[in-house]
Amino acid sequence: MDIEQLGYRIIGCAIEAHKSLGGCGLLESIYEDAMCYELSRTGLIFERQAFQPVHYKETILSTPLKIDLIIQKSVIVECKSTVAYNPVFESQLLTYLRLSKLKLGYVINFGEPTLKNGIHRVVN
């Protein structure tokens, strides 16, 4: 499966989770749980709350990144649930992509009444 097909499946899982939970208004962790259920149901392999070491010059820093979801070792998903979306979320995700050497990620804001308005694609 190519990365675009994978992205399509990830978005489908997010939409199903959002719809089945009744839309916005819940905690981020609940949407993340539902998203993991949907990913598992579709057979996608993922890591949840994955620690990513941060390399700095000749050392590895003592504090790793904590990434919400890494799917198929290819795509990062950062789950949010906020009414006040901030574009800095996309900048943070781009930094995560660079540090993990991955190419594609999504910030998915489950706080939007219509989820398609809460999906932000970020490419490294």
Side-chain angles (χ1 to χ4, degrees), residues 26-33 49 68 79-81 110:
L26 300 172
L27 294 173
E28 179 181 306
S29 57
I30 293 172
Y31 294 109
E32 188 177 308
D33 276 343
Q49 296 298 314
D68 288 349
C79 298
K80 302 291 181 195
S81 180
F110 290 95

Side-chain angles (χ1 to χ4, degrees), residues 1-13 44 75 104 106 108 119 121:
M1 160 181 358
D2 73 16
I3 199 140
E4 294 303 322
Q5 291 172 322
L6 178 57
Y8 182 79
R9 288 180 64 187
I10 291 167
I11 291 168
C13 290
L44 294 174
V75 177
L104 179 63
Y106 294 93
I108 300 177
I119 299 171
R121 186 176 193 265

Side-chain angles (χ1 to χ4, degrees), residues 1-94:
M1 160 181 358
D2 73 16
I3 199 140
E4 294 303 322
Q5 291 172 322
L6 178 57
Y8 182 79
R9 288 180 64 187
I10 291 167
I11 291 168
C13 290
I15 290 170
E16 181 61 26
H18 189 259
K19 182 177 70 172
S20 293
L21 287 170
C24 59
L26 300 172
L27 294 173
E28 179 181 306
S29 57
I30 293 172
Y31 294 109
E32 188 177 308
D33 276 343
M35 180 84 179
C36 289
Y37 174 85
E38 292 300 327
L39 292 168
S40 293
R41 193 180 64 75
T42 60
L44 294 174
I45 298 168
F46 63 92
E47 295 174 71
R48 183 176 185 190
Q49 296 298 314
F51 289 104
Q52 172 69 44
V54 177
H55 297 269
Y56 179 76
K57 297 187 178 183
E58 303 84 34
T59 191
I60 296 175
L61 299 179
S62 62
T63 305
L65 291 176
K66 190 173 171 186
I67 299 173
D68 288 349
L69 298 167
I70 301 175
I71 302 165
Q72 299 286 115
K73 298 184 180 184
S74 309
V75 177
I76 293 176
V77 171
E78 281 298 307
C79 298
K80 302 291 181 195
S81 180
T82 180
V83 294
Y85 184 81
N86 191 325
V88 76
F89 300 149
E90 293 167 54
S91 298
Q92 290 171 329
L93 178 54
L94 183 57

Side-chain angles (χ1 to χ4, degrees), residues 76 93-102 104-105 122 124:
I76 293 176
L93 178 54
L94 183 57
T95 300
Y96 294 179
L97 289 168
R98 287 179 181 149
L99 290 172
S100 63
K101 297 180 175 69
L102 295 177
L104 179 63
V122 178
N124 178 14

